[in-house]
Amino acid sequence: MIVVLLGPPGSGKGTQADAILARYNLPHISTGDMFRSAAAEGTPLGLKAKSFMDKGLLVPDDTTIGLVQERILKPDCEQGCLLDGFPRTIAQATALDLMLESLGRKIDCILYFDVDPQILVKRLSGRRICTKCDASYHILFQPPLQEGICDHCGAELYTRDDDKEETAHHRLEVFEMNTAPLVDFYLDQGRITDINAAPSPKEVTVSVFAALDKLGLA
Ligand code: AP5
């Protein structure tokens, strides 16, 4: 089963990916996580990606498509995968369809996280991530038990560079310019399952599981 999580920055893709992975047996392919870990390792790909991410821009399509192509061909993806944050341009979506077609496969479900843009900056600027285990929190909506400390491993929490207010605003503009046309492209093809991503994370998870259970995902 190949599932795509699509939605603006802060719409809850990462939060819902964690819930999906805890229930369904799928490898997780998050292009954002892959770029951040390559940047932390200081690889040429990571440094190139960082130069775009820090400005709130998308990493160029050829780099991103190549990265996903390589990952999706790994043996653990033979039964499917959870694509989180990819595709996010029409060029990426077209490349993905062609890539899957050549493998005799296709996307089974595209979940679109629909949420009022007004609340997204608040979600992004309040997000905190664990320096050690990457667990994600929100200072208001999902606070850790002890301020600044991860509930799971006790390490310190930090704010992502691209969550600073100005960059977060820019990421939302980039979404409107580059990814909103992809949403329309998939809508025209009748391929989108709309998820109301405005309620609490737990309520959103109920809608996500209902959509995935319908597909017979186990
Ligand atoms: P990426 O890491 O994918 O960032 P993003 O898409 O901007 O998404 P976010 O991680 O910011 O948000 P999310 O939807 O996962 O929300 P989350 O669950 O964390 O990409 C980063 C960068 O990498 C891009 O800007 C680009 O440069 C590059 N990149 C990545 N993929 C690329 C691609 N395909 N092509 C080109 N470039 C690419 O939630 C956010 C906060 O809200 C959290 O604090 C959470 O606790 C809280 N929250 C979540 N759900 C709720 C809820 N229902 N109610 C209240 N609070 C909630």
Side-chain angles (χ1 to χ4, degrees), residues 10 13-15 31 36 57 59 85 88 92 127 137 171 199:
K13 300 181 297 296
T15 303
T31 38
R36 275 185 292 278
L57 296 170
V59 178
R88 58 178 95 187
Q92 291 178 14
R127 172 166 49 189
Y137 299 88
R171 284 162 62 204

Side-chain angles (χ1 to χ4, degrees), residues 8-15 31-32 35-36 53 57-59 64 85-86 88 92 123-124 127 136-138 141-142 160 162 171 197 199-201 204:
S11 58
K13 300 181 297 296
T15 303
T31 38
F35 287 139
R36 275 185 292 278
M53 292 165 83
L57 296 170
L58 293 185
V59 178
T64 310
F86 180 92
R88 58 178 95 187
Q92 291 178 14
R123 282 195 188 174
L124 292 171
R127 172 166 49 189
S136 173
Y137 299 88
H138 191 281
F141 308 134
Q142 264 193 326
R160 257 169 60 174
D162 61 351
R171 284 162 62 204
S200 71
V204 179

Side-chain angles (χ1 to χ4, degrees), residues 182-195:
L182 171 62
V183 178
D184 291 339
F185 172 82
Y186 278 148
L187 274 173
D188 287 347
Q189 297 176 348
R191 295 169 76 185
I192 293 254
T193 300
D194 200 75
I195 299 287

